[in-house]
Amino acid sequence: MPTYDLVVIGSGPGGYVCAIKAAQLGLKVAVIEKNPTFGGTCLNVGCIPSKALLHTSEMFEAAGRDFPGFGIKVGKPELDLPAMMKHKDQVVDANVSGVAFLFKKNKIDSFRGTGSIAAPGSVRVAHEDGSSETVEGKAIVIATGSDSAPLRGIEVDEKRVVTSTGALALAAVPKRLLVVGAGIIGLELGSVWRRLGSEVTVVEFLDRILPGTDGEVARLAQRLLARQGVQFRLASKVTGIDDKGKSLRVAVEPAAGGAAEMLETDIVLVAVGRRPYTTGLGLAEAGVALDERGRVKVDAQFQTGVAGIHAIGDAIAGPMLAHKAEDEGIAVAEILAGQAGHVNYDVIPSVIYTHPEIASVGKSEEDLKAAGIGYRVGKFPFSANGRARAMAEKDGFVKILADAATDRVLGAHIVGPFAGEMIAECAVLMEFAGAAEDLGRICHAHPTLSEAVKEAALAAWTKPIHV
Ligand SMILES: Cc1cc2nc3c(=O)[nH]c(=O)nc-3n(C[C@H](O)[C@H](O)[C@H](O)COP(=O)(O)OP(=O)(O)OC[C@H]3O[C@@H](n4cnc5c(N)ncnc54)[C@H](O)[C@@H]3O)c2cc1C
């Protein structure tokens, strides 16, 4: 058995990107993965399948809602759910086999089985058939990701009471869907099934949706989703589910306590967050410490307290996002290759793929107020953008937050069509410490949606032209 420079445990976006970058930098790399396919949560049961269903369900809805007004007569669209699921599965297959191809191309060895740390530099791989082998490496990177957080008193069966994994593979459109948790995953998957015909109710413990998102953005998102038919029960908690009857009876209480109301539904989606997954890794035995939320503790070099053992992605602190995991994977590979790897946590975009999309990068108004930083707000509505009007996508705005003293852009928030694409421009600007004036002076093609970004920057710096 060769000794590797690097052994990566887990092949999600953190692990596989780390492995590829390390191999590109000349390290000899092994990856251990317990699932039959590579790609982790993101490619198998997360980002990719959810975006496939979000896209196709949006097309389905647009065909019925928008086509007649555009002068396209196609009759009432009919849903072929198995075909929609087949498309999703094909997209997943293409992506996971893409990772297998990249491993081969970069001469990365892979081991199927559950990895556990036997000692620094040594990982035991337990195979399904009961056999095991040991893989030796100078460095180990833990990239074991996360799984769905449970809700106390609620049993998930992935049939009627599901996590996101079950919600991505329902065999039929439920008449009623109750989503517990108004975070990104709950709202995205709630949107999918609402578009396909479900009556969707979202129960959220807090008195707002999308915790952590800029408050004004979250309020607009709630209004738009409510207009689409999603019902919200805020400041409420689910305390139990009676699954004896044909319908599920869900006990919903005020968050502050009080009498429970019973809501009937067909499917419950538990989307109350995710928790780091480190089960069976042997971390305690290896002396690797976890924080109070079960995340692997690392320093700025992604090194745990044990020399040679690093950790990245959802298994450590920070936003649970695929691109954050990827960037950490690259940084740790660079560090192991003797370079200066680094992640700028101030500029990590976040996208919610509802319709319209919601994207942000940097600080919210609430963050800036809490930090006592003076700021100017520049806003521009898509209703005043020619391209958005042509697309009948007039909802939403771009909001740029600039430092009152220096004009440096500290945050950008977009609710609108293709917000997830447009936010990249703001991230580039912020990475180079750009000002609202810089963004406002950059020539933007006309007619494009991104002209709204320029106009919002103009509004923060001086005055917009088109409102
Ligand atoms: C429904 C859903 C939608 C999402 N949408 C988005 C999105 O649009 N954008 C976004 O940025 N993020 C999204 N996420 C979050 C994203 O999937 C995660 O942030 C990302 O996958 C984390 O990457 P990771 O490499 O840290 O871990 P993971 O992707 O979780 O990969 C960990 C891998 O490690 C393996 N593993 C675990 N333990 C062991 C072991 N002991 N031995 C061997 N292998 C092991 C697992 O099998 C898994 O393959 C979504 C998540 C969900 C659930």
Side-chain angles (χ1 to χ4, degrees):
M1 180 67 60
T3 294
Y4 293 93
D5 295 310
L6 170 62
V7 179
V8 182
I9 310 177
S11 72
Y16 87 72
V17 168
C18 176
I20 292 170
K21 185 69 193 177
Q24 287 173 347
L25 292 173
L27 304 191
K28 185 158 180 49
V29 183
V31 174
I32 300 164
E33 173 55 60
K34 70 182 176 65
N35 271 354
T37 51
F38 298 125
T41 305
C42 176
L43 271 58
N44 290 281
V45 289
C47 326
I48 297 300
S50 62
K51 266 78 255 180
L53 288 183
L54 278 154
H55 178 72
T56 48
S57 64
E58 204 174 316
M59 295 292 99
F60 174 70
E61 184 166 69
R65 183 196 56 207
D66 299 336
F67 279 20
F70 292 160
I72 306 168
K73 286 189 184 170
V74 287
K76 191 172 182 296
E78 221 180 286
L79 178 65
D80 181 349
L81 187 61
M84 194 177 269
M85 290 292 175
K86 189 173 164 202
H87 165 74
K88 175 208 69 175
D89 293 339
Q90 285 170 340
V91 172
V92 168
D93 284 350
N95 278 273
V96 299
S97 40
V99 175
F101 164 79
L102 291 172
F103 280 175
K104 246 195 206 133
K105 181 179 167 199
N106 287 285
K107 303 193 170 40
I108 294 165
D109 291 342
S110 58
F111 296 81
R112 298 279 172 188
T114 302
S116 58
I117 298 171
S122 174
V123 181
R124 183 173 169 273
V125 185
H127 302 294
E128 269 210 333
D129 63 5
S131 65
S132 70
E133 63 187 306
T134 300
V135 182
E136 309 278 347
K138 290 179 200 149
I140 296 170
V141 169
I142 298 166
T144 50
S146 62
D147 69 0
S148 304
L151 184 59
R152 193 193 300 216
I154 307 297
E155 196 78 23
V156 167
D157 61 12
E158 294 296 7
K159 290 192 174 76
R160 292 209 294 170
V161 181
V162 299
T163 65
S164 53
T165 301
L168 287 166
L170 297 179
V173 179
K175 185 169 175 315
R176 296 158 301 184
L177 171 69
L178 187 141
V179 180
V180 193
I184 301 181
I185 293 175
L187 295 187
E188 287 188 357
L189 292 174
S191 291
V192 165
W193 292 106
R194 204 257 333 131
R195 289 172 198 157
L196 300 182
S198 299
E199 291 162 21
V200 174
T201 303
V202 179
V203 180
E204 166 59 48
F205 185 83
L206 300 174
D207 60 2
R208 56 162 292 171
I209 69 167
L210 296 172
T213 306
D214 184 274
E216 185 184 20
V217 165
R219 283 191 295 280
L220 175 61
Q222 187 182 337
R223 263 207 316 280
L224 295 175
L225 289 168
R227 201 172 75 194
Q228 293 166 14
V230 177
Q231 296 187 38
F232 289 97
R233 295 287 192 111
L234 302 184
S236 302
K237 58 183 176 191
V238 167
T239 53
I241 300 175
D242 174 359
D243 62 0
K244 287 183 200 73
K246 218 169 153 239
S247 303
L248 297 170
R249 287 169 47 78
V250 183
V252 179
E253 286 178 22
E261 190 186 340
M262 299 306 285
L263 297 186
E264 296 222 349
T265 191
D266 302 297
I267 300 280
V268 172
L269 162 59
V270 179
V272 293
R274 294 183 62 79
R275 60 180 179 183
Y277 182 83
T278 55
T279 313
L281 271 176
L283 295 187
E285 297 78 354
V288 174
L290 302 180
D291 70 11
E292 70 294 344
R293 289 168 66 180
R295 302 172 297 198
V296 180
K297 269 191 186 170
V298 290
D299 63 15
Q301 310 281 296
F302 307 98
Q303 165 106 15
T304 67
V306 180
I309 304 181
H310 297 72
I312 56 170
D314 280 10
I316 68 168
M320 285 184 162
L321 292 169
H323 42 283
K324 175 259 192 192
E326 289 186 32
D327 282 8
E328 289 174 343
I330 288 179
V332 83
E334 289 174 335
I335 290 166
L336 291 172
Q339 300 183 357
H342 171 74
V343 175
N344 179 4
Y345 290 98
D346 288 334
V347 184
I348 296 192
S350 173
V351 182
I352 304 159
Y353 297 83
T354 46
H355 183 250
E357 289 182 355
I358 302 160
S360 59
V361 59
K363 305 287 186 226
S364 65
E365 284 202 59
E366 289 78 10
D367 293 334
L368 293 172
K369 278 186 192 131
I373 298 170
Y375 62 94
R376 285 194 309 273
V377 182
K379 261 175 41 180
F380 190 82
F382 281 103
S383 57
N385 174 274
R387 184 71 187 278
R389 281 199 208 120
M391 295 162 66
E393 294 278 4
K394 292 186 293 186
D395 288 328
F397 57 66
V398 180
K399 170 159 128 176
I400 300 287
L401 304 175
D403 189 298
T406 64
D407 195 36
R408 181 174 174 173
V409 172
L410 302 174
H413 305 270
I414 308 177
V415 182
F418 300 107
E421 303 296 331
M422 282 186 281
I423 203 69
E425 168 179 24
C426 302
V428 171
L429 181 94
M430 288 171 65
E431 197 62 64
F432 287 93
E437 178 178 353
D438 295 322
L439 192 48
R441 284 190 184 278
I442 292 169
C443 189
H444 284 65
H446 176 76
T448 56
L449 297 167
S450 62
E451 285 174 290
V453 176
K454 171 183 172 141
E455 291 271 5
L458 284 175
W461 164 45
T462 162
K463 281 186 175 158
I465 301 293
H466 289 92
V467 275

mmCIF file of all heavy atoms in Angstrom, residues 9-15 32-35 40-42 45-47 50-51 113-115 143-146 164 185 274 277 281 313-314 320-323 325 353, ligand 1:
data_model
loop_
_atom_site.group_PDB
_atom_site.id
_atom_site.type_symbol
_atom_site.label_atom_id
_atom_site.label_comp_id
_atom_site.label_asym_id
_atom_site.label_seq_id
_atom_site.Cartn_x
_atom_site.Cartn_y
_atom_site.Cartn_z
ATOM 1 N N ILE A 9 -11.160 12.240 3.687
ATOM 2 C CA ILE A 9 -12.326 11.420 4.063
ATOM 3 C C ILE A 9 -13.580 12.196 3.676
ATOM 4 O O ILE A 9 -13.887 13.234 4.259
ATOM 5 C CB ILE A 9 -12.339 11.093 5.568
ATOM 6 C CG1 ILE A 9 -10.981 10.551 6.013
ATOM 7 C CG2 ILE A 9 -13.465 10.100 5.886
ATOM 8 C CD1 ILE A 9 -10.904 10.266 7.525
ATOM 9 N N GLY A 10 -14.289 11.685 2.656
ATOM 10 C CA GLY A 10 -15.502 12.346 2.168
ATOM 11 C C GLY A 10 -15.259 12.982 0.816
ATOM 12 O O GLY A 10 -14.241 13.643 0.594
ATOM 13 N N SER A 11 -16.199 12.752 -0.120
ATOM 14 C CA SER A 11 -16.011 13.264 -1.488
ATOM 15 C C SER A 11 -17.079 14.275 -1.884
ATOM 16 O O SER A 11 -17.467 14.364 -3.040
ATOM 17 C CB SER A 11 -16.018 12.104 -2.484
ATOM 18 O OG SER A 11 -17.341 11.598 -2.601
ATOM 19 N N GLY A 12 -17.590 15.049 -0.906
ATOM 20 C CA GLY A 12 -18.500 16.149 -1.238
ATOM 21 C C GLY A 12 -17.699 17.284 -1.871
ATOM 22 O O GLY A 12 -16.504 17.127 -2.158
ATOM 23 N N PRO A 13 -18.335 18.441 -2.076
ATOM 24 C CA PRO A 13 -17.621 19.554 -2.720
ATOM 25 C C PRO A 13 -16.368 19.985 -1.963
ATOM 26 O O PRO A 13 -15.407 20.462 -2.580
ATOM 27 C CB PRO A 13 -18.657 20.678 -2.771
ATOM 28 C CG PRO A 13 -19.818 20.233 -1.962
ATOM 29 C CD PRO A 13 -19.748 18.757 -1.818
ATOM 30 N N GLY A 14 -16.363 19.809 -0.648
ATOM 31 C CA GLY A 14 -15.136 20.112 0.096
ATOM 32 C C GLY A 14 -14.060 19.096 -0.235
ATOM 33 O O GLY A 14 -12.958 19.438 -0.690
ATOM 34 N N GLY A 15 -14.380 17.819 -0.051
ATOM 35 C CA GLY A 15 -13.395 16.750 -0.202
ATOM 36 C C GLY A 15 -12.917 16.563 -1.629
ATOM 37 O O GLY A 15 -11.709 16.449 -1.881
ATOM 38 N N ILE A 32 -11.535 8.678 0.470
ATOM 39 C CA ILE A 32 -12.362 7.594 1.019
ATOM 40 C C ILE A 32 -13.811 8.069 1.030
ATOM 41 O O ILE A 32 -14.098 9.171 1.513
ATOM 42 C CB ILE A 32 -11.903 7.246 2.446
ATOM 43 C CG1 ILE A 32 -10.437 6.786 2.401
ATOM 44 C CG2 ILE A 32 -12.787 6.176 3.077
ATOM 45 C CD1 ILE A 32 -9.761 6.775 3.735
ATOM 46 N N GLU A 33 -14.706 7.263 0.475
ATOM 47 C CA GLU A 33 -16.115 7.668 0.402
ATOM 48 C C GLU A 33 -16.989 6.468 0.764
ATOM 49 O O GLU A 33 -16.826 5.391 0.210
ATOM 50 C CB GLU A 33 -16.460 8.189 -0.994
ATOM 51 C CG GLU A 33 -17.932 8.477 -1.230
ATOM 52 C CD GLU A 33 -18.556 9.430 -0.215
ATOM 53 O OE1 GLU A 33 -18.099 10.571 -0.107
ATOM 54 O OE2 GLU A 33 -19.501 9.006 0.490
ATOM 55 N N LYS A 34 -17.937 6.701 1.677
ATOM 56 C CA LYS A 34 -18.784 5.583 2.112
ATOM 57 C C LYS A 34 -20.013 5.389 1.222
ATOM 58 O O LYS A 34 -20.601 4.318 1.206
ATOM 59 C CB LYS A 34 -19.193 5.751 3.573
ATOM 60 C CG LYS A 34 -20.163 6.868 3.881
ATOM 61 C CD LYS A 34 -20.411 6.908 5.386
ATOM 62 C CE LYS A 34 -21.285 8.057 5.812
ATOM 63 N NZ LYS A 34 -22.652 8.029 5.341
ATOM 64 N N ASN A 35 -20.389 6.422 0.476
ATOM 65 C CA ASN A 35 -21.550 6.295 -0.416
ATOM 66 C C ASN A 35 -21.148 5.583 -1.701
ATOM 67 O O ASN A 35 -19.995 5.629 -2.097
ATOM 68 C CB ASN A 35 -22.070 7.684 -0.790
ATOM 69 C CG ASN A 35 -23.092 8.179 0.200
ATOM 70 O OD1 ASN A 35 -23.491 7.457 1.095
ATOM 71 N ND2 ASN A 35 -23.497 9.415 0.044
ATOM 72 N N GLY A 40 -20.966 13.723 -2.535
ATOM 73 C CA GLY A 40 -21.517 14.145 -1.245
ATOM 74 C C GLY A 40 -22.962 14.580 -1.310
ATOM 75 O O GLY A 40 -23.694 14.286 -2.256
ATOM 76 N N THR A 41 -23.359 15.303 -0.272
ATOM 77 C CA THR A 41 -24.726 15.812 -0.167
ATOM 78 C C THR A 41 -25.055 16.656 -1.391
ATOM 79 O O THR A 41 -26.116 16.500 -2.005
ATOM 80 C CB THR A 41 -24.842 16.706 1.089
ATOM 81 O OG1 THR A 41 -24.425 15.959 2.227
ATOM 82 C CG2 THR A 41 -26.247 17.222 1.292
ATOM 83 N N CYS A 42 -24.149 17.541 -1.735
ATOM 84 C CA CYS A 42 -24.404 18.544 -2.779
ATOM 85 C C CYS A 42 -24.837 17.900 -4.100
ATOM 86 O O CYS A 42 -25.877 18.232 -4.653
ATOM 87 C CB CYS A 42 -23.143 19.373 -2.964
ATOM 88 S SG CYS A 42 -23.254 20.568 -4.284
ATOM 89 N N VAL A 45 -27.884 14.590 -3.092
ATOM 90 C CA VAL A 45 -29.187 14.871 -2.462
ATOM 91 C C VAL A 45 -29.307 16.318 -2.005
ATOM 92 O O VAL A 45 -30.044 16.616 -1.066
ATOM 93 C CB VAL A 45 -29.438 13.923 -1.245
ATOM 94 C CG1 VAL A 45 -29.706 12.506 -1.688
ATOM 95 C CG2 VAL A 45 -28.287 13.984 -0.245
ATOM 96 N N GLY A 46 -28.577 17.228 -2.645
ATOM 97 C CA GLY A 46 -28.595 18.616 -2.183
ATOM 98 C C GLY A 46 -28.739 19.594 -3.324
ATOM 99 O O GLY A 46 -29.743 19.609 -4.046
ATOM 100 N N CYS A 47 -27.682 20.391 -3.506
ATOM 101 C CA CYS A 47 -27.705 21.503 -4.480
ATOM 102 C C CYS A 47 -28.212 21.064 -5.846
ATOM 103 O O CYS A 47 -29.101 21.697 -6.426
ATOM 104 C CB CYS A 47 -26.300 22.073 -4.683
ATOM 105 S SG CYS A 47 -25.221 22.065 -3.257
ATOM 106 N N SER A 50 -31.906 19.478 -6.170
ATOM 107 C CA SER A 50 -32.910 20.503 -5.828
ATOM 108 C C SER A 50 -32.992 21.550 -6.938
ATOM 109 O O SER A 50 -34.082 21.995 -7.292
ATOM 110 C CB SER A 50 -32.621 21.140 -4.466
ATOM 111 O OG SER A 50 -31.382 21.797 -4.450
ATOM 112 N N LYS A 51 -31.840 21.909 -7.509
ATOM 113 C CA LYS A 51 -31.883 22.918 -8.574
ATOM 114 C C LYS A 51 -32.521 22.350 -9.837
ATOM 115 O O LYS A 51 -33.175 23.080 -10.600
ATOM 116 C CB LYS A 51 -30.489 23.465 -8.859
ATOM 117 C CG LYS A 51 -30.186 24.728 -8.085
ATOM 118 C CD LYS A 51 -29.828 24.511 -6.639
ATOM 119 C CE LYS A 51 -30.862 24.861 -5.637
ATOM 120 N NZ LYS A 51 -30.423 24.615 -4.246
ATOM 121 N N GLY A 113 -15.807 2.890 1.311
ATOM 122 C CA GLY A 113 -15.974 2.373 2.662
ATOM 123 C C GLY A 113 -16.016 3.520 3.645
ATOM 124 O O GLY A 113 -15.859 4.687 3.263
ATOM 125 N N THR A 114 -16.247 3.175 4.898
ATOM 126 C CA THR A 114 -16.340 4.201 5.934
ATOM 127 C C THR A 114 -14.976 4.398 6.564
ATOM 128 O O THR A 114 -14.373 3.438 7.070
ATOM 129 C CB THR A 114 -17.368 3.776 7.006
ATOM 130 O OG1 THR A 114 -18.620 3.567 6.331
ATOM 131 C CG2 THR A 114 -17.539 4.845 8.068
ATOM 132 N N GLY A 115 -14.512 5.614 6.512
ATOM 133 C CA GLY A 115 -13.183 5.907 7.052
ATOM 134 C C GLY A 115 -13.250 6.269 8.523
ATOM 135 O O GLY A 115 -14.184 6.938 8.972
ATOM 136 N N ALA A 143 -13.606 15.660 5.613
ATOM 137 C CA ALA A 143 -14.566 16.423 4.790
ATOM 138 C C ALA A 143 -15.873 15.633 4.763
ATOM 139 O O ALA A 143 -16.418 15.327 3.706
ATOM 140 C CB ALA A 143 -14.009 16.628 3.388
ATOM 141 N N THR A 144 -16.337 15.287 5.970
ATOM 142 C CA THR A 144 -17.466 14.353 6.085
ATOM 143 C C THR A 144 -18.830 15.048 6.084
ATOM 144 O O THR A 144 -19.858 14.380 6.192
ATOM 145 C CB THR A 144 -17.309 13.485 7.347
ATOM 146 O OG1 THR A 144 -17.032 14.356 8.458
ATOM 147 C CG2 THR A 144 -16.163 12.508 7.198
ATOM 148 N N GLY A 145 -18.847 16.381 5.996
ATOM 149 C CA GLY A 145 -20.096 17.085 5.718
ATOM 150 C C GLY A 145 -21.086 17.127 6.859
ATOM 151 O O GLY A 145 -20.723 17.220 8.041
ATOM 152 N N SER A 146 -22.362 17.029 6.473
ATOM 153 C CA SER A 146 -23.436 17.217 7.448
ATOM 154 C C SER A 146 -24.618 16.333 7.083
ATOM 155 O O SER A 146 -24.659 15.769 5.985
ATOM 156 C CB SER A 146 -23.881 18.680 7.427
ATOM 157 O OG SER A 146 -24.400 18.995 6.149
ATOM 158 N N SER A 164 -35.052 16.649 3.500
ATOM 159 C CA SER A 164 -34.900 17.120 2.114
ATOM 160 C C SER A 164 -34.674 15.948 1.166
ATOM 161 O O SER A 164 -35.133 15.977 0.020
ATOM 162 C CB SER A 164 -33.744 18.117 2.014
ATOM 163 O OG SER A 164 -32.567 17.571 2.554
ATOM 164 N N ILE A 185 -33.586 25.611 2.609
ATOM 165 C CA ILE A 185 -34.012 24.308 2.077
ATOM 166 C C ILE A 185 -35.534 24.177 2.134
ATOM 167 O O ILE A 185 -36.165 23.731 1.175
ATOM 168 C CB ILE A 185 -33.296 23.158 2.832
ATOM 169 C CG1 ILE A 185 -31.793 23.194 2.507
ATOM 170 C CG2 ILE A 185 -33.896 21.801 2.476
ATOM 171 C CD1 ILE A 185 -30.957 22.189 3.281
ATOM 172 N N ARG A 274 -29.138 21.759 9.440
ATOM 173 C CA ARG A 274 -28.264 20.604 9.268
ATOM 174 C C ARG A 274 -27.228 20.601 10.369
ATOM 175 O O ARG A 274 -26.917 21.627 10.949
ATOM 176 C CB ARG A 274 -27.609 20.651 7.871
ATOM 177 C CG ARG A 274 -28.665 20.487 6.778
ATOM 178 C CD ARG A 274 -28.072 20.462 5.398
ATOM 179 N NE ARG A 274 -27.159 19.364 5.160
ATOM 180 C CZ ARG A 274 -27.525 18.106 4.880
ATOM 181 N NH1 ARG A 274 -28.808 17.785 4.809
ATOM 182 N NH2 ARG A 274 -26.616 17.170 4.670
ATOM 183 N N TYR A 277 -21.598 16.079 10.386
ATOM 184 C CA TYR A 277 -21.625 14.617 10.448
ATOM 185 C C TYR A 277 -20.204 14.110 10.715
ATOM 186 O O TYR A 277 -19.332 14.193 9.838
ATOM 187 C CB TYR A 277 -22.153 14.060 9.125
ATOM 188 C CG TYR A 277 -22.263 12.556 9.131
ATOM 189 C CD1 TYR A 277 -23.377 11.931 9.688
ATOM 190 C CD2 TYR A 277 -21.253 11.766 8.608
ATOM 191 C CE1 TYR A 277 -23.472 10.548 9.722
ATOM 192 C CE2 TYR A 277 -21.340 10.384 8.634
ATOM 193 C CZ TYR A 277 -22.452 9.789 9.197
ATOM 194 O OH TYR A 277 -22.537 8.421 9.225
ATOM 195 N N LEU A 281 -16.084 8.429 13.071
ATOM 196 C CA LEU A 281 -14.757 8.820 12.574
ATOM 197 C C LEU A 281 -13.644 8.534 13.581
ATOM 198 O O LEU A 281 -12.468 8.613 13.238
ATOM 199 C CB LEU A 281 -14.744 10.321 12.262
ATOM 200 C CG LEU A 281 -15.142 10.759 10.873
ATOM 201 C CD1 LEU A 281 -15.166 12.285 10.791
ATOM 202 C CD2 LEU A 281 -14.174 10.206 9.832
ATOM 203 N N GLY A 313 -15.319 22.314 5.270
ATOM 204 C CA GLY A 313 -16.704 22.138 4.800
ATOM 205 C C GLY A 313 -17.739 22.187 5.912
ATOM 206 O O GLY A 313 -17.546 22.837 6.948
ATOM 207 N N ASP A 314 -18.849 21.496 5.686
ATOM 208 C CA ASP A 314 -19.953 21.508 6.649
ATOM 209 C C ASP A 314 -19.546 20.931 8.000
ATOM 210 O O ASP A 314 -20.238 21.152 9.001
ATOM 211 C CB ASP A 314 -21.141 20.678 6.115
ATOM 212 C CG ASP A 314 -21.978 21.437 5.093
ATOM 213 O OD1 ASP A 314 -21.552 22.523 4.651
ATOM 214 O OD2 ASP A 314 -23.059 20.927 4.734
ATOM 215 N N MET A 320 -23.059 26.653 5.891
ATOM 216 C CA MET A 320 -23.074 25.316 5.281
ATOM 217 C C MET A 320 -23.432 25.470 3.807
ATOM 218 O O MET A 320 -24.584 25.308 3.402
ATOM 219 C CB MET A 320 -24.060 24.420 6.017
ATOM 220 C CG MET A 320 -23.528 23.969 7.366
ATOM 221 S SD MET A 320 -24.664 22.841 8.151
ATOM 222 C CE MET A 320 -23.611 22.066 9.378
ATOM 223 N N LEU A 321 -22.427 25.802 3.022
ATOM 224 C CA LEU A 321 -22.617 26.048 1.594
ATOM 225 C C LEU A 321 -21.541 25.308 0.820
ATOM 226 O O LEU A 321 -20.384 25.231 1.259
ATOM 227 C CB LEU A 321 -22.514 27.551 1.293
ATOM 228 C CG LEU A 321 -23.646 28.412 1.857
ATOM 229 C CD1 LEU A 321 -23.308 29.887 1.746
ATOM 230 C CD2 LEU A 321 -24.969 28.113 1.144
ATOM 231 N N ALA A 322 -21.915 24.815 -0.351
ATOM 232 C CA ALA A 322 -20.988 24.015 -1.148
ATOM 233 C C ALA A 322 -19.748 24.808 -1.546
ATOM 234 O O ALA A 322 -18.623 24.307 -1.469
ATOM 235 C CB ALA A 322 -21.706 23.503 -2.392
ATOM 236 N N HIS A 323 -19.946 26.071 -1.956
ATOM 237 C CA HIS A 323 -18.785 26.848 -2.441
ATOM 238 C C HIS A 323 -17.860 27.235 -1.294
ATOM 239 O O HIS A 323 -16.667 27.430 -1.507
ATOM 240 C CB HIS A 323 -19.244 28.076 -3.238
ATOM 241 C CG HIS A 323 -20.408 28.793 -2.640
ATOM 242 N ND1 HIS A 323 -21.689 28.330 -2.739
ATOM 243 C CD2 HIS A 323 -20.489 29.925 -1.925
ATOM 244 C CE1 HIS A 323 -22.514 29.158 -2.114
ATOM 245 N NE2 HIS A 323 -21.801 30.133 -1.599
ATOM 246 N N ALA A 325 -17.311 25.176 1.231
ATOM 247 C CA ALA A 325 -16.562 23.916 1.401
ATOM 248 C C ALA A 325 -15.480 23.799 0.324
ATOM 249 O O ALA A 325 -14.343 23.421 0.609
ATOM 250 C CB ALA A 325 -17.526 22.727 1.331
ATOM 251 N N TYR A 353 -32.759 29.739 -4.169
ATOM 252 C CA TYR A 353 -33.220 29.560 -5.554
ATOM 253 C C TYR A 353 -34.740 29.484 -5.659
ATOM 254 O O TYR A 353 -35.289 28.643 -6.353
ATOM 255 C CB TYR A 353 -32.552 28.330 -6.166
ATOM 256 C CG TYR A 353 -31.044 28.473 -6.261
ATOM 257 C CD1 TYR A 353 -30.232 28.207 -5.168
ATOM 258 C CD2 TYR A 353 -30.435 28.901 -7.435
ATOM 259 C CE1 TYR A 353 -28.850 28.347 -5.238
ATOM 260 C CE2 TYR A 353 -29.060 29.048 -7.518
ATOM 261 C CZ TYR A 353 -28.278 28.773 -6.417
ATOM 262 O OH TYR A 353 -26.924 28.928 -6.487
HETATM 263 C C1 LIG B 1 -31.498 19.937 -0.232
HETATM 264 C C2 LIG B 1 -30.206 20.686 -0.140
HETATM 265 C C3 LIG B 1 -29.955 21.712 -1.025
HETATM 266 C C4 LIG B 1 -28.759 22.402 -0.961
HETATM 267 N N1 LIG B 1 -28.553 23.407 -1.853
HETATM 268 C C5 LIG B 1 -27.404 24.095 -1.812
HETATM 269 C C6 LIG B 1 -27.142 25.105 -2.770
HETATM 270 O O1 LIG B 1 -27.950 25.379 -3.650
HETATM 271 N N2 LIG B 1 -25.974 25.765 -2.695
HETATM 272 C C7 LIG B 1 -25.046 25.483 -1.726
HETATM 273 O O2 LIG B 1 -23.993 26.133 -1.700
HETATM 274 N N3 LIG B 1 -25.262 24.530 -0.804
HETATM 275 C C8 LIG B 1 -26.418 23.824 -0.826
HETATM 276 N N4 LIG B 1 -26.629 22.830 0.077
HETATM 277 C C9 LIG B 1 -25.578 22.582 1.088
HETATM 278 C C10 LIG B 1 -24.430 21.767 0.489
HETATM 279 O O3 LIG B 1 -24.946 20.555 -0.012
HETATM 280 C C11 LIG B 1 -23.368 21.495 1.551
HETATM 281 O O4 LIG B 1 -22.948 22.726 2.107
HETATM 282 C C12 LIG B 1 -22.168 20.793 0.947
HETATM 283 O O5 LIG B 1 -22.539 19.560 0.354
HETATM 284 C C13 LIG B 1 -21.098 20.536 2.006
HETATM 285 O O6 LIG B 1 -20.031 19.907 1.407
HETATM 286 P P1 LIG B 1 -19.042 18.952 2.238
HETATM 287 O O7 LIG B 1 -18.013 18.500 1.266
HETATM 288 O O8 LIG B 1 -18.594 19.637 3.463
HETATM 289 O O9 LIG B 1 -19.930 17.727 2.714
HETATM 290 P P2 LIG B 1 -20.942 16.738 1.985
HETATM 291 O O10 LIG B 1 -21.356 17.237 0.671
HETATM 292 O O11 LIG B 1 -21.994 16.451 2.994
HETATM 293 O O12 LIG B 1 -20.063 15.443 1.716
HETATM 294 C C14 LIG B 1 -19.584 14.652 2.737
HETATM 295 C C15 LIG B 1 -19.253 13.284 2.181
HETATM 296 O O13 LIG B 1 -18.538 12.546 3.177
HETATM 297 C C16 LIG B 1 -18.979 11.201 3.167
HETATM 298 N N5 LIG B 1 -18.657 10.626 4.470
HETATM 299 C C17 LIG B 1 -19.124 11.000 5.687
HETATM 300 N N6 LIG B 1 -18.529 10.297 6.656
HETATM 301 C C18 LIG B 1 -17.673 9.439 6.051
HETATM 302 C C19 LIG B 1 -16.771 8.461 6.511
HETATM 303 N N7 LIG B 1 -16.606 8.238 7.809
HETATM 304 N N8 LIG B 1 -16.060 7.770 5.603
HETATM 305 C C20 LIG B 1 -16.203 8.013 4.265
HETATM 306 N N9 LIG B 1 -17.036 8.931 3.777
HETATM 307 C C21 LIG B 1 -17.759 9.648 4.660
HETATM 308 C C22 LIG B 1 -20.463 11.314 2.890
HETATM 309 O O14 LIG B 1 -20.973 10.098 2.395
HETATM 310 C C23 LIG B 1 -20.481 12.436 1.852
HETATM 311 O O15 LIG B 1 -20.345 11.912 0.558
HETATM 312 C C24 LIG B 1 -27.805 22.091 0.026
HETATM 313 C C25 LIG B 1 -28.041 21.045 0.916
HETATM 314 C C26 LIG B 1 -29.225 20.353 0.834
HETATM 315 C C27 LIG B 1 -29.463 19.221 1.786
#
